[in-house]
Amino acid sequence: MRTIATLALKDLRILARDKSALFWVVVFPLLMAVLFGAMFGGGGGRERAKMKIGLVDEDNSKESRAFAEQIGASDSLAVVPTSRQEGLDDVRRGKLTACLILLKGFSRSMPVFTDRPAYEVGIDPSRTAEAGFLQGLLIQAMFSRMTERMADPADSSAMIAQLTADLCNEPGLSAVQRDALTSFMREGARFFGTLAPELAKGKAPFGKMPTVPVTRDARMPTSGYQISFPQALLWGLIGSVITFAVSIVRERTLGTLLRLRVAPIPHIMILAGKAAACATTCVLVATALLLIGIAAFGLRVYSPLTLVLVVGCAATCFTGIMMLLSVLGRTEQAVGGSSSGVTIIMAMFGGGMIPLFIMPGWMQAASNFSPGKWAVLAFEGALWRQFTPAEMLVPCTVLVAVGALSFAAGALRLRHMDA
Amino acid sequence: MIRIRELRKSYGAIRAVDGISLEFKPGETLGLLGPNGAGKTTIIHILIGATRADSGSIELDGVPDPRVVDARRWIGLAPQVLSLYGELTAEENLRFFGRLYGLSGKRLEERVGWALELAGLADRRGDRVDKYSGGMARRLNLACAIVHDPPFLLLDEPTVGVDPQSRNHIFEKIEALKRDGRTILYTTHYMEEAQRLCDRVAIMDHGRILALGTVNDLIREYGGRSVVEAVLVRLPAPSVALPGTLDGLRLRFETERPLEDVARLTAGGVEFAMLNVHRPDLETVFLALTGRRLRD
C-alpha cells in the first residue's frame, strides 16, 4: 500500500506541475459547465423569454392606441413601435419574430365579424408555432378590449349603434331583414346595458385562457447549470483519463518505466500506482467542479451521499478506461490521438456535448454503449433526477463493471507489451 | 554471484544476443565493449527481467529468475536513456526511487544526501530536472541507480552525450564505487572508458562475445606489436643495423619491446629528429577481431 501511495503521489505531483494538463483536467471542464450552463438558461432566476414583435399603428386612433397598450401589457410579448417597412425588414433579418400592423380603419374594423381586416402580421413562414401563439394573443387582446368597451355603457351603445349602421348598410339586405336586425341589435344593446356593471368588475373576461395551478416537477433541473455540470464532470474525467493514459506511455518512452521495473515491486503494483493516481485525480477533479458549481453557480445536490457514491463509481470506471486507452499505441502521440478520438465519441454519445434528453431517439439508444452516458446519468440522478437507490443501481453497476473489465483488459495487454 | 549461460534473444531475424555466457567475480567491473547494436543493452534488459530471453539461464545471487522481486533488490540500474522525471527536483527523484526500495526516514535522508553529493548536485537539489544540463542529468541518472546502496550496478553507457567535465566526474565516482567493492557491469562503445574503468572487458559484436579478458591480456593476445615511426637526423653508420624499413630519413618498424629497441638504437649512435611509438589498444583489438573500427 505504501508503494502504491508513493507511485501515485509521484504522478499527482507531476500533474500538479503540468499547467497544460491541469487546464484540460480542471479549467476546460469548468469553462464547458459555465458556457453550456449559460446556454441552457443559466441560474433560472432570469426574466422569462418574451417574443419580440414590432408594432405599426397606421390607424393612430384612440381605439388602436388602446389595443396597442393591451398588446404591450402581455407577459409574453416585447413590443417595439416601428414603421411598416422597418418592421418587416427586421422580421426578414431575424431581429423581430413578427411585425403587427394595425391597419387604417382599425377602430371600425376591429370590433368583430367584418370582412375588412383590422390588422396584418408579418412573420417568417417557417415559424408556425410562434405565428399560432401570436394569433392566440391577438384574439385574447381583441376580446379583452371588447369586454372593456362593453363595460362602459356609453361606449357600448356607440359601438352597437355603429355596428348596426354598418350591418344595415350592407348591400343585399331586404327591408324585413334590416328591421329584424335593427330590432335584434336594440335588444342586444339593452342586454349588454344590464351586463355592463358585471363586466366592469371583470367577472366575465373574454378570451382569457383558463389555467390550472401546476407545481413544477421536482425531478427537473432547476437551472441550466444542473444540466451542464454533469457534462463538465464527464469532461473532467475524460481529461484525467487522457492525461494518465499518455503518462503510462511516457514512462515507457522516457525510460522511467524500465527503472520502475528494476525496483523490487511487482509489475501489477506499478499499474496499481498509476490507477490510484488516476482515480484520485478523477475524485479531486469531480469534487473541485462540484464545489465550484455549488458555491458559484447555485448547483443543487439532491443526495450528497449518493453523489459521493457516484463519484467513486465514475472514478473506477474511467480509471479502467484509462488503462485500456494506454495500450492503444506505443508512442505518446499514438495514445494521445487515439484516446482523444475515443473519448470525444464517448462524450458525444454520452451527453457530454448535447444533453441526453435532447438527443434524437437513435442517438439515445446508441448512448447506452457509452460509459459517458452512464456517468452523466448517475451524476444527474444524484443532482436533480432524484434517483432512488434502485434507479441508481443500474448506472453505478455499469460504471464499475466497465471500469473493472477495461482495467483487466488494459493491464493484460500492457503486460504483454512490456514482456 | 551473477552467472549468465548461453543466453539467446532474437527480434525477428535479428539475433540481438547469440549464446552469451558470463560470470561476474564479486567486486569486479566487467565491461561490455562493442558498437551500437552489439547486444549490450539487451543483456542488461534480460538481467533485470525487462526482456525475456529466448533461451539460456541467469542466476542472480542464487535466484534463477530476475523477475523474482527479491532478486532485483540488490541491483542498481543506470539506463542508457536518461530515466528521470523532469517535472520533479533531483531530491524528489532520489526520494521517490529510494522509497521504491523500501528506504524511509533517516536512512532515506542519509542516502539521498549521499547520492546528491556523489552526483555533485547538492547545491541544485531543489531544481527541477528539466532545467538541468545534459551532464547534470546524466550524473543524477547514476545517482538514482545507487541511492538504495546496491552491491551490483548495471551502468548502461553512463557517459553518453556528456561534456568532458561531467564525464570525468562520472569516472571518478565510478572508481569510488569500485573501491567500495561493488560489482559493476559497464557497457560502452568508448574503448578509453573500458580501458580506464574495467577489470575485464568482453568485446562484443552482433550479439556475440568475441573475446574476454583483462585489457592487457586482450591487447597482448589480439593487439599485435607496437609500431615505431621515426625521422632520423642523419643516416647512421653502415655498422648500425636498422630494423624495419627506411625511406630517406624516415624509419618504421614493428616490435614487441619498443622502448628497449629505441634505447639500443640510441646507444648505437642513431639520432632521432622525431619519434612516435604506437602501442596497441582495445580499438586495435576490436579492429583485429572484427575487421572494422568500433565507431564504424
Side-chain angles (χ1 to χ4, degrees), chain A residues 150-332:
Chain A
M150 292 292 191
D152 180 348
D155 201 6
S156 160
S157 299
M159 188 172 68
I160 289 171
Q162 188 201 316
L163 188 59
T164 307
D166 284 349
L167 290 172
C168 287
N169 289 336
E170 284 293 318
L173 278 182
S174 66
V176 175
Q177 286 174 319
R178 198 166 284 124
D179 285 346
L181 185 62
T182 307
S183 171
F184 171 74
M185 294 303 282
R186 194 183 306 122
E187 290 305 312
R190 214 153 60 86
F191 168 73
F192 280 112
T194 61
L195 204 60
E198 294 297 312
L199 291 172
K201 289 177 196 165
K203 281 191 175 173
F206 290 102
K208 184 159 185 179
M209 184 170 70
T211 56
V212 179
V214 176
T215 309
R216 194 173 211 179
D217 188 353
R219 291 165 67 122
M220 289 291 286
T222 52
S223 76
Y225 298 118
Q226 298 287 117
I227 302 167
S228 68
F229 266 84
Q231 293 179 305
L233 288 163
L234 177 60
W235 284 107
L237 295 171
I238 284 174
S240 309
V241 160
I242 295 175
T243 300
F244 281 95
V246 171
S247 89
I248 289 184
V249 191
R250 194 160 166 256
E251 295 256 20
R252 193 185 294 128
T253 53
L254 274 181
T256 45
L257 186 63
L258 185 67
R259 215 191 262 285
L260 295 180
R261 293 184 66 186
V262 187
I265 52 175
H267 190 254
I268 190 72
M269 206 171 270
I270 300 172
L271 300 183
K274 198 61 83 176
C278 181
T280 306
T281 306
C282 288
V283 170
L284 289 176
V285 166
T287 307
L289 287 171
L290 286 166
L291 288 177
I292 292 170
I294 291 164
F297 299 96
L299 192 69
R300 288 191 197 162
V301 180
Y302 163 67
S303 171
L305 272 179
T306 312
L307 190 57
V308 170
L309 172 77
V310 170
V311 168
C313 292
T316 306
C317 175
F318 281 82
T319 298
I321 290 170
M322 177 277 294
M323 196 56 71
L324 195 57
L325 293 177
S326 73
V327 298
L328 291 181
R330 284 191 173 271
T331 64
E332 290 172 52

Side-chain angles (χ1 to χ4, degrees), chain A residues 17 250-251 259 261 265, chain B residues 72 77 85 87 92 141:
Chain A
R17 290 175 189 176
R250 194 160 166 256
E251 295 256 20
R259 215 191 262 285
R261 293 184 66 186
I265 52 175
Chain B
R72 300 198 299 266
L77 169 70
Y85 296 104
E87 298 87 348
E92 287 168 341
N141 200 41

Side-chain angles (χ1 to χ4, degrees), chain B residues 8-294:
Chain B
R8 289 178 204 281
K9 174 71 186 174
S10 296
Y11 295 104
I14 299 166
R15 286 188 177 177
V17 177
D18 190 7
I20 298 281
S21 293
L22 282 171
E23 193 167 312
F24 293 74
K25 295 171 188 166
E28 80 163 337
T29 299
L30 177 65
L32 295 182
L33 178 69
N36 292 329
K40 307 184 296 288
T41 300
T42 306
I43 290 176
I44 285 188
H45 284 193
I46 293 171
L47 267 174
I48 60 171
T51 300
R52 198 189 294 259
D54 296 336
S55 63
S57 66
I58 293 171
E59 193 184 313
L60 293 170
D61 204 25
V63 180
D65 187 351
R67 283 170 297 164
V68 173
V69 168
D70 280 338
R72 300 198 299 266
R73 196 172 293 281
W74 51 281
I75 295 177
L77 169 70
Q80 185 177 342
V81 179
L82 287 172
S83 307
L84 303 164
Y85 296 104
E87 298 87 348
L88 303 184
T89 66
E91 190 171 1
E92 287 168 341
N93 268 284
L94 288 165
R95 270 181 209 286
F96 170 68
F97 289 116
R99 283 199 183 100
L100 291 185
Y101 285 85
L103 300 180
S104 62
K106 200 177 168 193
R107 173 78 175 142
L108 178 64
E109 296 308 312
E110 279 173 8
R111 291 303 304 170
V112 168
W114 177 85
L116 284 166
E117 286 294 334
L118 180 125
L121 294 170
D123 56 338
R124 300 287 302 272
R125 63 199 298 155
D127 291 355
R128 277 172 59 148
V129 173
D130 52 15
K131 308 283 183 220
Y132 278 12
S133 68
M136 290 162 72
R138 188 58 72 177
R139 273 142 52 197
L140 181 62
N141 200 41
L142 175 64
C144 287
I146 54 175
V147 67
H148 59 289
D149 202 11
F152 182 41
L153 283 176
L154 302 171
L155 309 182
D156 193 2
E157 309 229 12
T159 61
V160 169
V162 302
D163 56 283
Q165 193 184 349
S166 286
R167 198 175 190 197
N168 209 42
H169 182 102
I170 290 171
F171 286 164
E172 287 170 10
K173 297 309 166 188
I174 292 171
E175 282 166 342
L177 293 169
K178 277 182 70 175
R179 285 194 294 276
D180 283 353
R182 289 169 217 267
T183 307
I184 300 173
L185 176 61
Y186 190 100
T187 77
T188 182
H189 59 269
Y190 295 119
M191 57 152 192
E192 316 88 64
E193 293 184 9
Q195 235 160 323
R196 175 172 172 175
L197 298 171
C198 299
D199 301 314
R200 287 193 300 154
V201 174
I203 306 231
M204 288 190 68
D205 197 24
H206 298 305
R208 288 182 296 126
I209 291 178
L210 305 178
L212 172 65
T214 65
V215 173
N216 287 338
D217 286 348
L218 289 173
I219 291 171
R220 196 176 305 122
E221 192 166 347
Y222 302 102
R225 297 189 293 177
S226 296
V227 175
V228 177
E229 289 177 330
V231 177
L232 307 181
V233 175
R234 70 184 72 82
L235 286 174
S239 58
V240 179
L242 293 175
T245 56
L246 185 65
D247 179 11
L249 292 174
R250 289 182 176 277
L251 176 69
R252 185 181 189 282
F253 63 94
E254 292 183 8
T255 174
E256 299 282 348
R257 298 183 177 83
L259 296 181
E260 288 171 26
D261 286 348
V262 169
R264 184 177 54 77
L265 289 171
T266 307
V270 176
E271 289 183 60
F272 296 100
M274 190 271 286
L275 182 68
N276 275 327
V277 178
H278 302 286
R279 294 182 64 88
D281 55 18
L282 288 176
E283 180 78 47
T284 325
V285 172
F286 189 81
L287 185 66
L289 288 169
T290 66
R292 57 198 173 90
R293 295 191 170 275
L294 255 173

